[in-house]
DNA sequence: GTATGCAGTACCCTTTTATATACTAGCTGC
DNA sequence: GCAGCTAGTATATAAAAGGGTACTGCATAC
């Protein structure tokens, strides 16, 4: 693995520095990230409640994706030093600014469900 | 492996039948799918040109994701029986209707690049 | 005759995601 | 005392997705 200037961080698309869509997809790369943001849009949420609402994610993966979103400044993590532990996840301003993306997906999905219902 | 009603197709989110966002994310699940749609938005494109423009995808994966998008009715595949082979990929109406999603991502990415440039 | 382009397929390997379990630490409820 | 709650970490294993490269068959280009 040579460390030349064409290398991109793990999971990043070539050209993510200058292409807006590639940049966005690099940040949102991860199966659960958009869903996490979607669940946090209406209100902050604690870890276990988030896990229940996502129904299907393991705590291992949920932790990893939350940490990644936190590192990218999308999600804020507020730890209250009480017993039992209380950790609240919320969207940063940067995270909330993704709302139009989620909204467009929601609209497209609504149309899809109407036109091609599953059962 | 029991075949009860909670089973979902491979890659699908629990609740994709009724939740619009889960439904959209299920269709768009795949690292290159949104980027493929983005590249096809302005004009149809042939296989190898698409591969060059995506720069980073392997032909194996590009084929697989195009087939999946075709199965979901997002992309149309037009084969011209000539030598050398000429296969043109284009967006269906359903595919073009994803433009607002890409547009929202493009706008978010533009802002990101402006506020946190990489180099 | 060798090189290149097209649109893939076949084979193998690595990374990511999924599942499952055990463990932490203090507090509450029984 | 023991179980259960919180929000994780650690470990192991397995399945799924992603990635690299060689190869095809026919045609044109050199």
């Amino acid at each position: 693995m040579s460390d030349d200037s064409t290398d991109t961080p793990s999971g990043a698309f070539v050209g993510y520095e200058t292409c807006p869509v590639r940049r966005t997809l690099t940040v949102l790369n991860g199966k659960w990230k958009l869903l996490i943001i979607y669940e946090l849009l209406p209100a902050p949420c604690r870890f276990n409640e988030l896990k229940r609402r996502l129904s299907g994610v393991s705590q291992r993966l949920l932790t990893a994706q939350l940490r990644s979103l936190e590192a990218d400044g999308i999600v804020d993590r507020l730890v209250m030093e009480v017993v039992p532990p209380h950790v609240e996840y919320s969207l940063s301003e940067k995270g909330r600014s993704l709302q139009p993306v989620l909204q467009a997906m929601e609209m497209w999905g609504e149309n899809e469900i109407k036109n091609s219902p599953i059962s």
Side-chain angles (χ1 to χ4, degrees), chain A:
Chain A
M1 215 186 283
S2 66
D3 184 19
D4 59 67
S5 57
T6 63
D7 277 359
T8 41
S10 158
F13 288 98
V14 172
Y16 80 112
E17 304 92 342
T18 54
C19 170
V21 173
R22 282 169 174 76
R23 178 67 171 265
T24 304
L25 289 174
T26 295
V27 172
L28 298 178
N29 186 10
K31 182 166 175 181
W32 298 91
K33 287 188 185 167
L34 273 162
L35 219 43
I36 289 170
I37 295 163
Y38 179 60
E39 296 291 349
L40 289 180
L41 269 175
C45 190
R46 298 175 65 179
F47 183 85
N48 273 342
E49 198 196 329
L50 203 48
K51 180 168 169 290
R52 273 190 296 273
R53 297 228 299 249
L54 292 176
S55 69
V57 72
S58 62
Q59 62 271 59
R60 190 185 171 300
L61 211 34
L62 181 54
T63 302
Q65 308 242 320
L66 281 169
R67 291 285 190 280
S68 172
L69 286 170
E70 199 192 347
D72 283 326
I74 307 289
V75 154
D76 288 329
R77 181 167 176 265
L78 176 65
V79 181
M80 300 174 197
E81 298 284 2
V82 292
V83 171
H86 187 120
V87 180
E88 202 166 80
Y89 291 94
S90 57
L91 291 181
S92 67
E93 201 191 313
K94 193 165 152 184
R96 277 191 300 277
S97 73
L98 281 163
Q99 181 163 25
V101 176
L102 271 305
Q103 216 159 40
M105 287 191 169
E106 195 171 34
M107 285 175 65
W108 193 85
E110 274 168 16
N111 218 53
E112 258 299 284
I113 291 172
K114 201 163 55 189
N115 294 333
S116 335
I118 300 287
S119 29

